[in-house]
Structure formats: C-alpha cells, structure tokens
Amino acid sequence: MRVYGTEITSRLLLGTAQYPSPAVLAEAVKSSGTEIITVSLRRETADGSGTAFWQELQKTGCRILPNTAGCHSAQEAVTTARMARELFDTPWIKLEVIGHSDTLQPDVFGLVEAARVLSGEGFQVFPYTTDDLVVGEKLLEAGCEVLMPWGAPIGSGQGLRNPDALRAMRAHFPGVQMIVDAGIGRPSDAAQAMELGMDAVLLNTAVAKAGDPAGMARAMALAVEAGRAGFAADPMERRDMAVPSTPVLGMAEFS
Amino acid sequence: MITIAGAGLAGLACAYELAQRGAVVTVYERSGAPGAGSVARFAGGMLAPWCERESAEEEVITLGSRSVGWWAKITPVHRHGTLVVAPARDRAELTRFARRTSGHRGVDGAEIVALEPALARRFAQGLFFEQEAHLDPRRALRDLTEKVQKLGVEIRFGTPAPARITLDCTGMAAPLPGLRPVRGEMAILHCPEVEICRTLRLLHPRMPLYLVPRGDGHFMIGGTMIESSSDRAITLRSLSELLSAAFALHPGFAEASVVETGAGLRPAFPDNLPRLVEQDGTLFLNGLYRHGFLLAPAMAQQAADHLLPETSDEDHRERQTA
C-alpha cells in the first residue's frame, strides 16, 4: 500500500508505549514485521529529554510516525506536531486531539481544525478520528489523504464496536487509505478490520500488555495478513439457508 | 586496595560485600553526605520481587528473593507483605496482575480488613503477597554507610573519583553504551489519621499507585515511569494523578500534608535488568532501574565474586563459622 507516496509492505503499524522494557519492545517490533512505529511526544517529553528512548526506537530501522497523544486542543496538537517534525525530521504526524478524558474520544472539531493548519504547513497528517462519515469528509477537505477511524476507545481492547459504521465508511471513501486505530484487543479483531477492506491496522496495548508481547505481535501480523488475503479473495455472502457442501450426485438411492 | 566511585546504593552495597570478605576499600563520593547524590533516596524501598514480576523478567525473583535477609542485617525491614487492591470497576486489572505473578493468595473484603482495618468497606477483592517487605530507603542508606565504615571502608565525601578506579557505581553518570534514564516521580504525605502498616498497590489502567508506610504517619507514594532524561521537579499532571490515586485508596488522604515531592533518573539497560560490565579495566555495576533495594544485594555479591574470586561468598561464610 502507498501512504503519502511511500510504499509500505506491512499493513500492521505498532505503537511503542507501555512495554515492559525497550528490549521487549524491540523484539515485538521485529516479530511483527512492521515498518511503521508510532512515538508519543507528549508524555515522553517534547523538550528532547526522551532522546535515549528514541535512539532505541530508531535502532529498529522502522519509519517513525510521531503522534500528538494526550493533546486536548487543536493548538496544543499543532505545537506538538511542529516539535515532532523538528525532532524526528519527518512530515508525518499522527494527529490526536482528545475531547473526552474518560473515553479518550477524539474532539473531531479540534481535529479538523488542527488537520487544516498542519496540512497547510506541509505536514502529512494521519488523523485519529471516529467512524463518522461527515468528519471523514471534512478531514479530506482539510488535506488529509489517510483516515484513521477508531475500532473502540484507546487501550480498551474491545475490538470493533461498530463494524457497520466502519463498513459504511469503507464504502463511502473507496480510494482513501484507511487504518483502523485503537480498540484492537485480539488477533480476531485485527482480522475483522482487514476483512472489512481496511488498508491497515494500528495497535499498541494489545501487544504491549500481552503476557508475551513478541508472540502477540506475530499473531497480530498473521491476523492482519489473513484478514487482508480474505478480503482480497472476495468472501462469499452470508445467507440464511443451509446449502450442502457435499454434492448430492452419486448418493445411494433407497427405493 | 579496591576503589569505588559513587557512594549511592550500588556503591555502598558493593563496599559492604567486599569489606565483609576482607578487602580494603575506598569509596569516592562527589556529594557531601551519605546518599545525598543518590537517586535511591526517592525509591519506594519495596522488597517486592513477586509483584515486580508483573512487568519484569524472571531475574527479579531469582536475584531479589534473598534481599530481605540481606537488608535485615543492616537496617530495620518491615515484613508485612504487600496488599494489592483494585476498585470494583477495575477488577480485570486484578485478574491480569494475578495471572502474571506468583507468591500471592487472593483475599476478600473481610481478609483485607483483617490485614488493614483502615481499608474497611473499600475493596472487595485483593491479592496478598505475604513474603514481601519494605524498608525506609534513607534510613537504609545511612545504616549501610555506618556499617561499611565500621568494617573499615573509607568513604571520601565531597571527593570526585580518581581517573582509574576498580568499580564504578555512578548510575547515570557512567559512560556506558545502552544506558538510559527512566524518570520517576514521587511524593511523601503526612497523614497520621490513616493507619496503614504495609505496602499497598492500587491497580488502575491509567494511574497505578504504590504506597509505602514510612512510620510516624508518613507515607511515600509513587511512582511514575517516564522515558526522559529531565530531572526537573514533578509535573502537575504526575502529582495530581498520584494524589488522586492516593485519595482513591483512602479518602482520609484528603487531609494529608504533601511534605515532599521528588523526581529522579533511574539508570536502565534496554532489558531493564542490572548488569556488571567490564570496560577499559574498570568494572561497572549499573542499570538497577526501579529495583535498587531489591537487586543491589545480589548484584553486589556478584561484583565481589568477580573482584575477589578467591573468596567466594561460601568460603567466607565457612571461615566465619570456623
């Protein structure tokens, strides 16, 4: 798939927070096969004091997608994005503007506003949004080429809470790269997102907080691949009536 | 003669182990007083390897399980165990914690009250790690200093180490590749109204807390884990989260005085486990991360085994009893 002109092979993007140690994180990144990892600038300090940890991340060889996690206003997110560009020397930014402290639901108004400002400054914005179609349209108008709808609240591991909305969104934005971000808890959730025709999945807690992060990273990679292959193979339609899978021809006849 | 740079927790523990085995030891310490320059001053002082296993490698148990006995010879160790609780809403956190750890038993509301009467009607479920203990880090650093001095170790306070030394225990000041700082923040509360005698851990998906009684109505609360090299004072966000979590543990803390806040940089290697490293003719003990009091004894023994291979710990014990 291509995002902002960059060709990537792995459809799994991995967050880098909450791992037991950088060594475990590096192992998980390796076994996931991911090419893009996200880095939070907010809590890990934007003044450059997180350098030692970032150097560990850069050793993975992955492309870094800095994020504005924890920003509660458009202004704050814009400022953080500018710092991220300086620190990581990349126009990419995963834009998060949090609107609700309990659910960490995006503030979609602030999000669109920040996306417009940042796109105008040459940023390539990956907006963390809800599954709302209108917001999606506004984000594209604001200059985004990628949409990152949530599956469920960040870190909740609930899976896709509203697959119908995601399906509708997929149908509504056929040519847009769509990455399900947040809420993935298990490999089956990741596979489900990919079966819906999503282009990629971004997750963090599901791997970081698993008992064996590297094992879970591999499971997620396999699920993403399986889901994508299933989507590409054009799955059968669901139907109410049973259809025997064994041919009737040649069955014994009882007269 | 063995020279050690740094009279923090690692340096003092090594000096103790080496002096015990008959070595002549001199310790150089830049700061003017025992523990004054040591990040261990901000530690919780928990000897809690089984709880720590939740996010740490198995080595914290194999290296840490004998630390209680080691410290008990040096400073008062409070062997009351650790009580882990979670609000009803976050019971899943408790399930997860139980699954990732060992050495605990499940306790219900009545057992929690029997252990800590102050928590009456607050928590319906918890985990009790009976073998764990805690100590007062500042008292322990003072007591350990006194002990090593009695054993004949010379500690030169206010004196930078010479260029060539045997053992470097200078934490973040050491020039070791792969060593990184992990910022931690804590606060000390004074709240004589709340009586709690053992380490408590409150599980919470966003702001987990540990509270360690310091005696005289004082409690240490901590600790944040931030990948940062900044040692500036505690941030408002961290402080408000720690205080809210303490309040969630017991509303009586609303009346507590916040008598101190602190922030320090824990030295850590990528696997968050301590290491002995030989570099340019010097042995380094570093990377104690958040497990200083827990792992310093075992690491100091390893350092002593390395530097005095002819008198391993076993030999020394035999000679003592002979």
Side-chain angles (χ1 to χ4, degrees):
Chain A
M1 71 184 273
R2 279 180 89 76
V3 278
Y4 289 109
T6 300
E7 190 66 37
I8 55 166
T9 316
S10 169
R11 292 173 181 270
L12 175 60
L13 288 73
L14 211 56
T16 56
Q18 302 182 68
Y19 288 81
S21 70
V24 174
L25 162 63
E27 214 185 313
V29 167
K30 201 172 157 208
S31 72
S32 73
T34 188
E35 289 157 58
I36 300 174
I37 54 178
T38 64
V39 184
S40 158
L41 209 63
R42 183 80 195 138
R43 181 106 200 200
E44 321 295 22
T45 60
D47 55 5
S49 57
T51 316
F53 180 65
W54 296 336
Q55 279 167 353
E56 287 294 317
L57 295 181
Q58 264 148 355
K59 280 189 208 153
T60 63
C62 292
R63 190 176 288 270
I64 289 187
L65 173 57
N67 71 29
T68 63
C71 289
H72 285 261
S73 72
Q75 186 50 51
E76 209 182 348
V78 166
T79 309
T80 307
R82 287 175 185 150
M83 282 192 278
R85 177 153 70 177
E86 295 268 308
L87 282 167
F88 294 103
D89 193 26
T90 172
W92 281 13
I93 188 77
K94 182 190 149 185
L95 186 60
E96 270 187 51
V97 183
I98 299 302
H100 190 269
S101 60
D102 204 35
T103 61
L104 301 179
Q105 179 170 340
D107 166 5
V108 294
F109 305 97
L111 182 69
V112 172
E113 188 188 327
R116 187 169 292 123
V117 173
L118 291 172
S119 297
E121 293 179 11
F123 280 90
Q124 294 171 339
V125 179
F126 296 65
Y128 166 61
T129 181
T130 63
D131 47 30
D132 188 288
L133 293 180
V134 182
V135 174
E137 277 175 356
K138 301 280 180 202
L139 286 167
L140 297 181
E141 275 169 33
C144 300
E145 291 177 23
V146 175
L147 293 176
M148 301 220 289
W150 65 353
I154 298 172
S156 68
Q158 294 176 9
L160 309 187
R161 287 223 296 199
N162 195 349
D164 290 326
L166 290 173
R167 190 178 290 116
M169 204 172 180
R170 175 70 289 175
H172 196 75
F173 301 110
V176 177
Q177 298 295 345
M178 285 184 30
I179 303 171
V180 169
D181 178 10
I184 301 293
R186 286 154 197 263
S188 52
D189 304 330
Q192 189 192 6
M194 297 308 291
E195 284 174 27
L196 289 174
M198 295 296 160
D199 295 285
V201 163
L202 196 170
L203 52 88
N204 185 346
T205 314
V207 167
K209 291 290 186 187
D212 171 9
M216 187 57 79
R218 181 173 140 72
M220 289 293 184
L222 292 171
V224 164
E225 210 184 315
R228 179 68 190 177
F231 170 75
D234 189 11
M236 65 171 282
E237 293 306 316
R238 290 202 163 113
R239 57 189 158 208
D240 292 331
M241 203 182 164
V243 180
S245 51
T246 321
V248 183
L249 202 73
M251 273 177 90
E253 275 183 45
F254 301 97
S255 52
Chain B
M1 189 185 70
I2 288 174
T3 50
I4 300 178
L9 176 51
L12 290 171
C14 289
Y16 177 80
E17 277 298 319
L18 290 162
Q20 282 267 308
R21 300 182 196 189
V24 179
V25 182
T26 304
V27 184
Y28 297 90
E29 169 56 45
R30 274 187 313 190
S31 73
S38 171
V39 67
R41 280 189 307 130
F42 303 114
M46 291 176 288
L47 304 175
W50 291 277
C51 276
E52 286 299 309
R53 182 68 178 90
E54 186 253 340
S55 61
E57 305 287 338
E58 184 67 20
E59 281 91 330
V60 293
I61 296 179
T62 51
L63 294 173
S65 53
R66 288 203 305 271
S67 60
V68 170
W70 195 91
W71 282 109
K73 288 184 276 173
I74 289 157
T75 193
V77 173
H78 308 281
R79 305 181 200 215
H80 303 303
T82 303
L83 181 59
V84 180
V85 292
R89 192 179 93 155
D90 302 318
R91 198 163 285 176
E93 298 293 318
L94 209 55
T95 313
R96 181 180 176 279
F97 199 91
R99 218 168 50 222
R100 297 285 160 76
T101 55
S102 61
H104 56 71
R105 63 181 165 89
V107 285
D108 62 14
E111 288 168 287
I112 290 173
V113 174
L115 290 166
E116 293 291 353
L119 297 182
R121 288 179 300 282
R122 299 204 53 74
F123 300 97
Q125 267 191 326
L127 296 168
F128 186 44
F129 293 75
E130 200 160 4
Q131 308 164 75
E132 297 188 340
H134 70 266
L135 50 72
D136 176 345
R138 294 173 196 183
R139 166 96 196 255
L141 286 169
R142 278 200 310 273
D143 291 347
L144 184 55
T145 304
E146 242 174 65
K147 269 273 190 309
V148 300
Q149 283 170 332
K150 268 194 195 139
L151 286 168
V153 173
E154 186 192 354
I155 306 178
R156 296 193 190 163
F157 288 109
T159 313
R164 281 204 72 79
I165 43 151
T166 322
L167 180 59
D168 183 302
C169 297
T170 56
M172 277 319 301
L176 289 175
L179 195 69
R180 74 183 203 289
V182 181
R183 174 179 160 91
E185 298 155 308
M186 51 77 83
I188 292 181
L189 309 179
H190 183 238
C191 191
E193 296 81 13
V194 178
E195 282 184 36
I196 288 168
C197 84
R198 56 176 55 72
T199 300
L200 299 182
R201 289 187 186 225
L202 177 73
L203 303 184
H204 186 280
R206 280 194 218 168
M207 41 183 200
L209 176 89
Y210 56 77
L211 175 140
V212 192
R214 288 278 185 262
D216 276 342
H218 285 89
F219 300 93
M220 180 272 188
I221 56 172
T224 55
M225 306 280 296
I226 303 170
E227 295 286 348
S228 165
S229 61
S230 167
D231 61 355
R232 67 186 174 124
I234 190 168
T235 62
L236 184 144
R237 183 209 305 249
S238 296
L239 184 58
S240 63
E241 284 181 1
L242 287 177
L243 298 178
S244 313
F247 181 66
L249 200 56
H250 196 291
F253 285 120
E255 292 304 317
S257 302
V258 182
V259 295
E260 185 190 324
T261 62
L265 300 178
R266 314 170 177 101
F269 287 110
D271 57 2
N272 291 345
L273 287 171
R275 285 181 199 170
L276 283 171
V277 182
E278 253 188 312
Q279 187 175 287
D280 305 327
T282 296
L283 187 67
F284 291 78
L285 168 54
N286 216 315
L288 284 165
Y289 183 52
R290 57 181 269 166
H291 301 129
F293 285 94
L294 181 62
L295 302 185
M299 294 312 291
Q301 282 166 352
Q302 286 184 19
D305 289 346
H306 186 94
L307 293 170
L308 307 169
E310 70 280 8
T311 59
S312 80
D313 205 22
E314 267 43 59
D315 298 343
H316 171 67
R317 280 207 199 100
E318 275 167 31
R319 267 199 314 238
Q320 255 190 344
T321 50

